[in-house]
Amino acid sequence: MRSKIDIQTQIIHTRIYIYIRKMNLTAMHVDQQQQLGGEENGPVWHVVANKSQFDFEHGRSACVAIACEAAVKILCLLGDKETMPRQEIKSEMLLQSMEGGIDMYKSFGRQGHLELDDVIFNEKYSSQLSVCKREQKCLKPGLEHMLFFEILSQASRKHCKNAPTGLLFVKGGEAALAVLSNNGKQILLFNSHPKSEINVNFSKCFVYSVDDMMMAAGFLTQLFPCVTGLGFGLQADMYNMFDLAIVKLSQDMTNDDMKEDNVPVAQQLQSMDHNNTNNNTNAYSNSSNVIQLTPDLQALVSQGIISREAALVMM
């Protein structure tokens, strides 16, 4: 006979599957529209260069440096604008990003891919970009879309109040860039690799503009799918780890950008309890004021896979 925990676990897994399936269908629908041409002046558009990094002599392993170069250029171009029309992104800028990144890559004088920290803390980029946050994340089967959505949403809420923000993703030596405009109303997805398997238009280096976090998360999920069939444990996690750096132009950094927001759930609850005690209110004495997460959702929150807010939405 199945236990109550097993039934709850199955319910949670079903909810997650339905949620992700719905978001993936939405992303697929938008991709189909984009393949048909999209709207020239609408929020969903793309610009493609006539080369990818593989068309340059030293470009094969230079994608991390190229993504940093593109971050500087796109952040400067966006400025304080909430949205940027297609006409302002030129294919020449994509070529310049690849050329500048490859020159930087060659300056290291070694073979193979560079680490993200090698690049973002290099003098060339550290003089222009400031790091708001640097961390590692781990993809879990079926939860990729939710994780990328959380990353984008949190970055938008915290860092896009005054200026655009760049998110550099590196997994298995492959880098990609997402730039959120001021107030997060537009997401520009840059990639120097050909990605025709995702969209037939993306045969060379490209920028893909969307105005929806779900769409952007769906695209990142296609770029960086979770590797399955490895069982559980450290080996499986190692194959699914990726590096993340959230950056802004140095002149756009504020004190709020530097505040740490990774507060453990238990500490949040203790703080809430302390504040309520000081106000002579006991929110925890009334069970209706506290929503208890199911064990499965609590585990996801504790591991940092989803936020408590996202877990409450799924209750």
Side-chain angles (χ1 to χ4, degrees):
M1 185 173 179
R2 299 174 67 190
S3 67
K4 184 177 180 181
I5 296 298
D6 289 336
I7 294 172
Q8 287 179 330
T9 300
Q10 185 61 47
I11 291 172
I12 295 301
H13 287 169
T14 301
R15 287 176 178 173
I16 291 173
Y17 173 80
I18 293 172
Y19 167 85
I20 294 172
R21 178 65 177 164
K22 182 173 69 174
M23 293 306 105
N24 285 343
L25 287 173
T26 300
M28 287 172 62
H29 175 68
V30 174
D31 281 341
Q32 289 169 357
Q33 289 183 323
Q34 183 66 18
Q35 289 173 15
L36 293 173
E39 298 179 27
E40 183 71 16
N41 297 313
V44 180
W45 48 260
H46 66 270
V47 173
V48 183
N50 59 7
K51 291 183 180 181
S52 75
Q53 66 182 73
F54 300 124
D55 294 312
F56 292 87
E57 183 180 356
H58 299 283
R60 178 165 293 275
S61 301
C63 59
V64 179
I66 292 172
C68 277
E69 186 77 20
V72 174
K73 293 184 183 303
I74 296 175
L75 288 170
C76 289
L77 196 58
L78 264 172
D80 60 359
K81 293 190 289 289
E82 293 187 347
T83 59
M84 183 165 59
R86 182 184 186 278
Q87 292 79 4
E88 293 192 30
I89 293 281
K90 307 295 185 183
S91 59
E92 289 79 10
M93 186 272 288
L94 305 185
L95 293 173
Q96 291 167 6
S97 296
M98 288 188 285
E99 291 166 354
I102 291 169
D103 286 343
M104 193 273 186
Y105 170 77
K106 289 192 296 184
S107 71
F108 277 83
R110 66 176 192 244
Q111 300 295 316
H113 292 89
L114 299 176
E115 298 292 332
L116 180 58
D117 290 344
D118 291 337
V119 180
I120 59 175
F121 295 116
N122 181 274
E123 183 179 357
K124 176 179 180 180
Y125 296 118
S126 64
S127 62
Q128 302 175 77
L129 296 173
S130 291
V131 179
C132 305
K133 196 170 190 177
R134 172 69 178 89
E135 59 184 341
Q136 283 191 321
K137 294 287 189 179
C138 185
L139 297 169
K140 299 293 183 181
L143 297 175
E144 306 100 309
H145 191 287
M146 187 183 301
L147 176 60
F148 285 122
F149 178 75
E150 280 284 299
I151 291 170
L152 293 169
S153 298
Q154 289 180 9
S156 177
R157 287 194 301 269
K158 182 175 180 183
H159 301 294
C160 294
K161 297 175 183 177
N162 70 312
T165 301
L167 292 87
L168 292 156
F169 300 89
V170 181
K171 181 178 184 288
E174 181 173 333
L177 167 70
V179 178
L180 309 178
S181 68
N182 187 22
N183 290 328
K185 292 188 176 182
Q186 183 180 33
I187 307 101
L188 298 172
L189 300 155
F190 170 90
N191 203 299
S192 55
H193 307 83
K195 291 294 175 182
S196 300
E197 70 277 13
I198 296 178
N199 187 309
V200 294
N201 293 305
F202 301 157
S203 57
K204 300 292 183 179
C205 176
F206 62 90
V207 168
Y208 178 34
S209 167
V210 298
D211 65 345
D212 185 275
M213 292 287 180
M214 290 294 186
M215 289 171 58
F219 185 79
L220 291 169
T221 300
Q222 292 177 292
L223 277 182
F224 301 118
C226 182
V227 180
T228 58
L230 301 174
F232 300 95
L234 182 60
Q235 182 180 7
D237 286 345
M238 286 177 61
Y239 276 96
N240 286 302
M241 295 290 290
F242 66 90
D243 290 294
L244 170 67
I246 301 177
V247 298
K248 295 179 76 170
L249 294 175
S250 297
Q251 66 263 25
D252 292 334
M253 286 288 286
T254 66
N255 290 333
D256 286 342
D257 289 317
M258 301 303 295
K259 288 180 181 177
E260 184 57 62
D261 59 355
N262 286 335
V263 182
V265 173
Q267 187 175 331
Q268 293 180 40
L269 293 176
Q270 289 174 2
S271 176
M272 289 168 60
D273 187 43
H274 176 72
N275 291 337
N276 287 335
T277 301
N278 288 343
N279 293 328
N280 295 319
T281 61
N282 189 3
Y284 298 104
S285 66
N286 185 347
S287 60
S288 64
N289 290 333
V290 177
I291 301 176
Q292 297 293 331
L293 298 179
T294 62
D296 248 41
L297 286 176
Q298 183 61 61
L300 293 175
V301 170
S302 300
Q303 294 174 42
I305 297 173
I306 62 174
S307 68
R308 180 175 175 82
E309 292 146 342
L312 290 172
V313 171
M314 298 177 63
M315 290 287 287

